[in-house]
Amino acid sequence: MKILFYAPHTEAAAWLHDFARALPAADLREWQPGDNAPADFAVVWRPPREMLAGRTTLRAIFNLGAGVDAILALERAHPGTLPPEVPLIRLEDTGMGAQMAEYVTHAVLRYLRRFDEYQMLQGERRWKVLEPHPRATFTVGVLGLGVLGTQVAQTLASFGLPVRGYSRSAKQIDGIATFAGDAQFDSFLDGAKVLVNLLPHTPDTEGVLNARVFSKLARGAYLINVARGAHLVEADLLAALASGQLAAAALDVFREEPLPADHPFWREPRITITPHTSALTLREDSVAQVADKIGAMMRGEQVSGVVQLERGY
Ligand code: NAP
Ligand code: GLV
């Protein structure tokens, strides 16, 4: 069994070493430009078009991340990049759920307990007790109730916060008020105090974090975007902060990454910035999951995590 690997931002040697241990019979190689030799599986992150195009004998392409927006954007720009009939399989959790729950909980509790404002007061050497936010109305809305959004929503609910969740298809999750589809979107947003985004980036969700959506939230609401930068209309966020409709935002993802040094977000003290780090791809967990799925496919079994191309995630 031949496996092609391409993930230039990683330590390829360490990944190949771990895959060799998990799949001792596999013949593993890191893809180099010009390598057209046959392969059974490809394991990739943001591959160039020429790596995959025409590889019709692949049994599967594994994406080393939860989001497949970059590879699908490449396919839209250059149709045929993804060989037809070859399943594209994304990572499912692999330790990202716990990381996301930590990141979002940290941000929500920081706003609930007003630690962000205390930090600013400390900068001014001011000793001042702020009125607590009432927990019962500190409603958190989680956009996306997939692998990551569900764990985030359930973790937040465990703090006794009112939590809502929004997805494409209807769901039932204990302790979460669920909303689905366009018809229920405004009810989901209505008066929420925190909006957390964990949607995939697809043509349907591009720019979903915009002025209209912010206007439906409670006045002085908070935004936490941990999904993709393309979900956010950046000018609308700055305007909502200026008007007071939003009180603050925690952003982990940006339209341009790294965020350019002259970007206005760096100068806005109510925006907290992290460098796309809310849920990292963990090598050990990811190798174990991909290796298990390769084993299952070799035995002719079905695997989960197959991307539905027409849906975009
Ligand atoms: P997932 O399991 O595919 O869940 C996606 C959720 O979004 C599902 O609940 C889906 O609804 C919902 N959804 C999709 N399109 C929708 C639409 N048009 N309207 C309403 N709901 C919609 O994905 P995941 O594993 O949770 O990951 C979510 C995203 O997180 C990834 O795509 C990636 O962009 C981002 N991410 C970021 C980081 C980071 O470090 N910042 C790390 C990992 C992932 P259904 O359940 O009805 O299908
Ligand atoms: C990271 O952003 C991922 O999609 O896994």
Side-chain angles (χ1 to χ4, degrees), residues 45 64-67 96 228 276 279 281:
W45 181 248
L64 282 184
M96 287 189 271
R228 286 291 184 263
H276 200 139
T281 292

Side-chain angles (χ1 to χ4, degrees), residues 200-260:
H201 174 217
T202 68
D204 286 343
T205 64
E206 164 86 29
V208 66
L209 305 175
N210 58 43
R212 194 195 81 81
V213 162
F214 301 151
S215 74
K216 302 282 175 196
L217 304 174
R219 179 139 185 98
Y222 300 92
L223 173 69
I224 300 170
N225 186 20
V226 281
R228 286 291 184 263
H231 286 126
L232 175 63
V233 180
E234 296 186 340
D236 289 4
L237 170 60
L238 292 170
L241 289 168
S243 73
Q245 176 55 23
L246 290 185
L251 306 179
D252 183 51
V253 286
F254 302 89
R255 284 187 177 263
E256 189 178 346
E257 295 181 2
L259 188 64

